[in-house]
Amino acid sequence: MNLQVYVSEILDDIRSNGISALKKYSQQFDNYKGPFELEEKEWNIDDEILQEDKNIIDRIIKRLENYHSKQIKEDITYTNEYGSMYGLIKRPINRIGIYVPGGRPLPSSLLMVAIPAKIAGVKDMIITSSPKNGKINPYILYIAKKLNIKEVYKIGGIQAIGAMAYGIGMKKVDKIFGPGNQYVNEAKRQVFGDVGIDSLAGPSEICLIADETANKEYVLNDLLSQLEHGLESKSFLLTTSKQLYDYCDKNRIERYLFDTLDECAEKANEIAPEHLEIITREPEKIVPLIQNAGAVYLGEYTPVPAADYFLGVNHVLPTGKAARFSSVLNVSDFMKEMTIAKISKEELLTERYLGIRMAEIEGMNQHKKSMEVRK
């Protein structure tokens, strides 16, 4: 059975049979039989985390809040020569679901989603995550408490996506965020329309442009860092240095040797990587040449892992060449934009001939009458 059919059958079962199907798949995939929503006593995890770790998380939260708070944009309204008002107004999404993988818990991913959501004004956030030995990772719960997320559910995998999308065992969400494996990705793809989704994340990628000035140890370790995510992760070196090219001759690192940095940039745009590091004599001069990348990190002291964890920039990025048309997760992903207009009588009567003729072209007679009937 192929992946699409497999996931579809599970989602259909959950939608049709509700909580009984959810319990069945939780027992099958998570080896869990208990209640889904976290009980009050399970929030008592303070003794499970070192105070030093709490301080680190608190500091990272402040850095993320500082960066993302700069992304808030005001509503736009203006008045034209007729005295009519036009604009674009923004509202936060009402309720979001955050999927946090439970196999290898990723508290940093929860931070990257929940903080811009909070800054956008989302009031209602929930977390779903696979329980391990019946429990949710304490770091995930500590972050949830810090960010005032009150609903956490011990559900993972396809069944978690179905539960959030269809409102099984919980109130339905409006949009789902968070990374997952191929089953979670496919489930998100299939529930799109019932709910919104952030993206379909693929294997992690790093592309690194470097010249002869780059520290070879820095370059090699940065290239290897993203391969740690899994066997499907990708690592590209684009360089003008034969010495560096030879030094990075390691398994799974794809190397390209070019005559100029302009050629390196051209190849980077073709790859459209999730992460792009530029370690050259003057990295800022390469930036105008870059069109396709999820994130760009400049200089030898801006490694991808620093951005993954503590710089404050978001690490939820487009993968699989999606940087050609997609963007880094940001505050606007948690908001909706609505046009607003209040047209004066003078403008409608003066300019309606434009709409009347377009209605005639399209054969929409009632559209035409709606504009013509006004006096």
Side-chain angles (χ1 to χ4, degrees), residues 157-223:
I158 300 167
Q159 63 271 25
I161 304 303
M164 289 189 282
Y166 307 137
I168 308 299
M170 63 185 69
K171 182 182 174 184
K172 175 184 170 73
V173 304
D174 298 307
K175 190 172 182 179
I176 296 172
F177 295 81
N181 61 23
Q182 61 178 335
Y183 299 99
V184 169
N185 249 8
E186 178 61 22
K188 286 169 68 177
R189 189 190 68 80
Q190 291 192 24
V191 300
F192 178 69
D194 289 294
V195 291
I197 62 170
D198 52 354
S199 63
L200 298 174
S204 187
E205 308 156 352
I206 182 173
C207 180
L208 200 154
I209 296 175
D211 63 13
E212 72 284 353
T213 68
N215 182 303
K216 61 185 181 181
E217 284 295 314
Y218 297 174
V219 169
L220 178 59
N221 281 282
D222 289 1
L223 290 169

Side-chain angles (χ1 to χ4, degrees), residues 69 71-77 88-90 335 337:
S69 65
Q71 298 174 4
I72 291 290
K73 296 178 181 177
E74 301 297 325
D75 291 346
I76 300 168
T77 58
L88 192 66
I89 58 177
K90 301 171 178 61
M335 305 190 81
E337 295 181 327

Side-chain angles (χ1 to χ4, degrees), residues 43-146:
W43 285 97
N44 299 322
I45 45 81
D46 285 351
D47 293 340
E48 299 180 47
I49 302 176
L50 295 173
Q51 185 59 49
E52 180 183 0
D53 288 346
K54 294 177 185 178
N55 295 341
I56 285 171
I57 291 172
D58 294 351
R59 176 63 178 154
I60 291 172
I61 287 173
K62 288 182 179 178
R63 292 180 65 94
L64 282 160
E65 287 176 339
N66 180 61
Y67 176 80
H68 288 86
S69 65
K70 308 292 194 298
Q71 298 174 4
I72 291 290
K73 296 178 181 177
E74 301 297 325
D75 291 346
I76 300 168
T77 58
Y78 68 93
T79 303
N80 68 5
E81 67 272 21
Y82 291 103
S84 300
M85 183 272 287
Y86 292 89
L88 192 66
I89 58 177
K90 301 171 178 61
R91 298 290 185 270
I93 295 171
N94 183 51
R95 179 175 169 86
I96 68 165
I98 305 173
Y99 182 83
V100 183
R104 178 189 283 182
L106 300 174
S108 63
S109 291
L110 173 57
L111 289 168
M112 296 290 167
V113 174
I115 288 173
K118 178 183 174 185
I119 289 171
V122 177
K123 303 295 184 187
D124 202 356
M125 289 187 261
I126 71 164
I127 296 169
T128 62
S129 188
S130 298
K132 190 172 184 179
N133 299 321
K135 296 183 177 181
I136 298 293
N137 181 273
Y139 289 91
I140 291 172
L141 295 183
Y142 179 76
I143 292 168
K145 290 173 72 174
K146 289 291 295 187

Side-chain angles (χ1 to χ4, degrees), residues 281-337:
R281 181 178 284 106
E282 297 178 294
E284 292 84 358
K285 289 189 175 181
I286 309 297
V287 176
L289 304 177
I290 302 302
Q291 299 297 321
N292 303 325
V296 181
Y297 307 120
L298 306 180
E300 60 183 13
Y301 293 105
T302 320
V304 170
D308 281 345
Y309 292 127
F310 76 89
L311 293 188
V313 297
N314 207 289
H315 79 204
V316 181
L317 303 165
T319 59
K321 292 185 179 290
R324 293 173 296 123
F325 52 81
S326 297
S327 305
V328 60
L329 189 75
N330 60 75
V331 170
S332 66
D333 289 297
F334 300 91
M335 305 190 81
K336 306 164 293 176
E337 295 181 327

